[in-house]
Amino acid sequence: MPPDRLLYNSSLLRPPTVKKFRFLRRSANSPGILYKTHPPDSEHNRNLDRSLPRQQFRGYGSASFCRQEISSAPHSSTTGRASAICHLPGLPPNPSPRTLSAAGMDPAIIAARDNVIRAEVAEREAECILMAARENLLEAREHALRLELEASAASQAQTMFNTLTSHNTTASGTATPVAVSGVPTEAYTFPVDKLKRRQTRPGKTPLVLVACGSFSPITFLHMRMFEMASDFVRFNTDFEVCAGYLSPVSDAYKKAGLAPGRHRVEMCSRAIESSPWLMVDPFETVNCNEKGEPEYVPTAKVLRHFDHEINTVLGGIEGTDGKMHKAKIALLAGADLVMSMGEPGLWSPIDLGVILGQYGAFIVERSGTDIELALSTLKQYENNIWVIGQVIQNDISSTKVRLFLKKDLSVRYLIPDPVVEYINEHHLYQEGPPKEKQEKINGSKNPGPESSNGKLIKG
């Protein structure tokens, strides 16, 4: 083998392999080292460098090479031989087998080198295939997750649609709603006819006031609360009132003197018919359980319902800048309700956190209530509670109206006239049967005083 072509030790053709080789180019005085075990600056290598002789050879071209075998150990394969091959000056970085053979390279080393190259190429191809497979798996998982979410959303929407629109037909052919827990059993539509969809005051936050109560029956004070709150908000806050809602409580509330929900909803609707911004939401009164029985709806859930309908379904309120803004949903109530919230164990702390912490409340003072005492136990929510003072005291209550009706006293000018007419029409809040019905039960009608000729005497 020409010594000016390739320097190699014939021992490489035997099973031993080289742990460390040092190649020195004398002309450039630059070492090129291939390490297998020991680091270059280890004491082991320095001692071996000093102890073993150096053999100088004439290398390829004008450079002189010297290779020194430092130590050897048994080798198990021919790939170790190929690992001892270093780049030779004058040859390309990746010489072909023909080029190496022409340079005097041993055929066994060339074959070992080819095997190593093939193995490396196969390994890289396998890595690429594995990486592509992993990416495909991730994409498949993401696609499956998207399909699952879309299917779940479609299923929920279909369930809600079926709940609100499906009916069972009775033998007589009338439609009977299907009862589902927590969902209205009648064809329910959220009222938005008087909702201000676009703000008129720049820089203000849209506000929707919600009053929850029995409204059995609705009084002028209930309606005045909204007007007082509107004035208070306009002059003392950074809100703009966009709507006011009355939400009559469910029949499951079981309060004394509570008229059926359909009557209370109708009385409220007639009372605020002339109002340009007040509406009645029958959501609570139409909620039933699986058996079709009325189901009580907590106040916190009612406020979430309004939040969902206005901010999620409708997308909020359009501001003067043309952008949609989330409306603030707030409870409108009397001071007696806040006093009950301050009583330990009466309200759930979670519900209080939702009502007063998340949404907030506007409280109207009432005579005979100590609002300061009530608020002293709700200090953590004081920044989300607004107290509205009554300039003109009004202590009309539904309880007093029912008492008047029970004693057959006039309630005109205590409640709106349409409500008075509705109560008389349906004989609500009366302890006994109406007079006409009682007269039919007795079998005769009291004709009043008569003259001798049988004619009625006026008077």
Side-chain angles (χ1 to χ4, degrees):
M1 181 183 303
D4 60 343
R5 292 292 183 181
L6 176 65
L7 297 178
Y8 75 99
N9 195 327
S10 60
S11 62
L12 291 176
L13 301 179
R14 304 193 307 270
T17 185
V18 176
K19 271 190 175 182
K20 174 185 175 184
F21 293 98
R22 172 174 292 178
F23 293 82
L24 296 176
R25 182 187 293 183
R26 287 184 176 179
S27 60
N29 198 22
S30 59
I33 306 173
L34 174 63
Y35 293 97
K36 298 296 291 183
T37 302
H38 302 289
D41 57 346
S42 66
E43 188 67 22
H44 173 78
N45 288 334
R46 286 196 293 269
N47 294 335
L48 291 177
D49 287 345
R50 289 192 297 268
S51 61
L52 295 178
R54 295 189 178 187
Q55 299 177 4
Q56 297 181 2
F57 300 88
R58 188 169 187 79
Y60 181 78
S62 61
S64 298
F65 286 84
C66 166
R67 183 165 80 185
Q68 182 177 22
E69 185 176 359
I70 305 300
S71 61
S72 62
H75 203 282
S76 59
S77 66
T78 57
T79 58
R81 303 189 189 118
S83 65
I85 300 174
C86 294
H87 173 62
L88 299 177
L91 292 179
N94 296 310
S96 64
R98 182 178 297 179
T99 303
L100 294 175
S101 179
M105 180 71 70
D106 186 88
I109 298 180
I110 296 175
R113 174 185 176 277
D114 292 342
N115 292 336
V116 171
I117 293 176
R118 292 191 188 97
E120 291 178 353
V121 172
E123 182 181 2
R124 291 174 184 172
E125 290 178 352
E127 290 178 354
C128 293
I129 294 174
L130 180 60
M131 185 177 298
R134 288 176 178 173
E135 292 179 355
N136 292 337
L137 180 60
L138 290 177
E139 291 179 358
R141 287 178 178 175
E142 292 178 357
H143 183 65
L145 181 60
R146 285 196 298 269
L147 292 179
E148 184 179 355
L149 293 176
E150 292 175 359
S152 177
S155 176
Q156 293 178 0
Q158 185 65 35
T159 302
M160 180 63 70
F161 176 79
N162 293 339
T163 300
L164 297 178
T165 59
S166 63
H167 293 80
N168 291 334
T169 304
T170 61
S172 60
T174 59
T176 303
V178 179
V180 177
S181 178
V183 179
T185 58
E186 301 177 6
Y188 167 80
T189 303
F190 182 72
V192 295
D193 53 306
K194 298 180 183 180
L195 175 65
K196 184 189 292 185
R197 301 298 299 273
R198 192 177 191 280
Q199 293 182 252
T200 56
R201 305 180 66 188
K204 299 289 185 178
T205 301
L207 173 68
V208 174
L209 297 171
V210 180
C212 300
S214 301
F215 304 113
S216 185
I218 184 173
T219 69
F220 280 122
L221 179 57
H222 293 138
M223 299 159 61
R224 277 296 302 165
M225 286 172 57
F226 282 96
E227 296 298 330
M228 288 187 288
S230 177
D231 291 340
F232 178 86
V233 168
R234 186 157 50 96
F235 291 107
N236 298 281
T237 69
D238 292 327
F239 298 113
E240 179 181 356
V241 177
C242 295
Y245 285 92
L246 294 156
S247 182
V249 72
S250 169
D251 290 341
Y253 188 48
K254 301 297 182 183
K255 180 180 179 181
L258 189 68
R262 60 186 180 87
H263 289 310
R264 291 182 285 116
V265 169
E266 183 61 27
M267 286 189 288
C268 290
S269 299
R270 295 191 180 192
I272 53 91
E273 186 175 3
S274 60
S275 173
W277 64 288
L278 296 182
M279 291 167 282
V280 182
D281 183 14
F283 175 76
E284 292 188 66
T285 61
V286 297
N287 270 265
C288 294
N289 57 20
E290 293 84 353
K291 298 180 180 180
E293 301 171 346
E295 186 175 57
Y296 175 72
V297 184
T299 305
K301 185 177 179 180
V302 174
L303 296 179
R304 287 197 187 99
H305 157 71
F306 281 93
D307 190 4
H308 171 76
E309 293 290 345
I310 295 176
N311 292 320
T312 302
V313 177
L314 299 179
I317 304 297
E318 183 181 356
T320 55
D321 55 357
K323 298 180 180 180
M324 300 302 291
H325 298 275
K326 182 177 180 180
K328 180 177 179 61
I329 310 299
L331 179 68
L332 177 62
D336 52 345
L337 179 65
V338 176
M339 292 187 67
S340 69
M341 289 180 174
E343 296 181 11
L346 190 58
W347 286 77
S348 167
I350 298 178
D351 286 352
L352 287 179
V354 174
I355 298 170
L356 301 180
Q358 180 178 352
Y359 293 108
F362 286 83
I363 307 302
V364 178
E365 287 183 332
R366 279 189 177 180
S367 58
T369 58
D370 190 348
I371 188 67
E372 296 297 332
L373 178 61
L375 294 177
S376 63
T377 59
L378 303 171
K379 284 292 185 181
Q380 64 270 38
Y381 308 116
E382 60 182 357
N383 294 329
N384 214 20
I385 298 176
W386 293 265
V387 179
I388 304 171
Q390 283 200 69
V391 178
I392 300 176
Q393 294 296 323
N394 186 342
D395 62 349
I396 300 175
S397 68
S398 298
T399 303
K400 294 178 180 179
V401 172
R402 291 196 302 270
L403 181 61
F404 274 42
L405 292 170
K406 183 179 179 180
K407 295 183 177 182
D408 199 20
L409 299 175
S410 173
V411 293
R412 196 169 296 276
Y413 310 122
L414 296 178
I415 58 179
D417 286 345
V419 179
V420 176
E421 296 172 1
Y422 189 87
I423 291 174
N424 293 333
E425 178 184 351
H426 295 273
H427 314 296
L428 301 177
Y429 310 112
Q430 296 180 8
E431 192 173 36
K435 292 182 180 180
E436 293 81 5
K437 185 176 181 180
Q438 186 64 46
E439 289 168 354
K440 289 182 181 179
I441 294 174
N442 295 336
S444 63
K445 199 171 187 178
N446 184 11
E450 295 185 11
S451 63
S452 58
N453 58 9
K455 293 182 179 180
L456 292 175
I457 300 176
K458 296 182 180 180

